[in-house]
Amino acid sequence: MSRWHSPMLVVDFKYNIIRIHRSTLDALGNPEYVEILVSPKHVRIGIRAHDKQTITSQKVNSESLLHQRSIQLYSTDLARELLEINPKWKNDQIYRMEGVLINSENMVLFNGMDSELIHSEEYATAQ
């Protein structure tokens, strides 16, 4: 599977944005809702698919996927919590992670320790 077709997650600490790429949503069967799970102890982030709204799920704006490669979730609190789970992550930086689909959990799992620092200019041109 090529890099652009692998499940992908980008965390932009400069603007407190979590970008869930289309490839991740495709791997999950294009769910109506997603839930973000964080394991600070294991430095992992999970994106789980849901078919209905729950107290912890977020609606997927499928219309935005017609014009963009990702959906964007804005959360200062979540971004600050994520920043604390990996000592290598720095404020005002952008990190990309490739994930692995866990079919039995209907989830894509991302290892924060395997994240890649990307430059704002590089990421802007890829969008």
Side-chain angles (χ1 to χ4, degrees):
M1 187 174 281
S2 80
R3 173 183 199 104
W4 296 108
H5 291 96
S6 298
M8 193 84 65
L9 179 71
V10 172
V11 181
D12 183 336
F13 291 114
K14 184 173 184 176
Y15 296 106
N16 303 315
I17 301 170
I18 293 87
R19 291 184 180 93
I20 303 172
H21 281 246
R22 180 184 297 138
S23 57
T24 302
L25 298 169
D26 287 346
L28 292 171
N30 295 304
E32 195 170 341
Y33 297 90
V34 293
E35 181 179 31
I36 299 175
L37 307 166
V38 180
S39 173
K41 180 179 178 181
H42 298 104
V43 193
R44 304 258 196 281
I45 302 168
I47 306 294
R48 186 182 336 205
H50 279 281
D51 57 358
K52 60 183 179 179
Q53 187 172 13
T54 67
I55 198 163
T56 58
S57 65
Q58 295 289 315
K59 178 132 177 78
V60 174
N61 182 353
S62 54
E63 295 234 345
S64 70
L65 291 173
L66 297 174
H67 307 289
Q68 298 177 353
R69 294 182 186 167
S70 64
I71 60 167
Q72 300 183 111
L73 304 174
Y74 298 86
S75 175
T76 301
D77 292 338
L78 179 57
R80 294 301 116 208
E81 286 183 37
L82 291 175
L83 188 59
E84 303 234 342
I85 70 170
N86 186 339
K88 294 180 182 177
W89 287 343
K90 304 288 184 227
N91 199 13
D92 294 337
Q93 298 295 326
I94 302 171
Y95 296 90
R96 174 176 36 219
M97 292 165 265
E98 288 187 54
V100 175
L101 177 64
I102 312 294
N103 279 319
S104 62
E105 299 291 327
N106 204 19
M107 174 173 56
V108 174
L109 194 59
F110 299 90
N111 183 343
M113 296 306 287
D114 293 336
S115 62
E116 174 186 1
L117 174 66
I118 57 176
H119 299 288
S120 298
E121 300 81 27
E122 171 192 343
Y123 190 72
T125 57
Q127 291 299 304

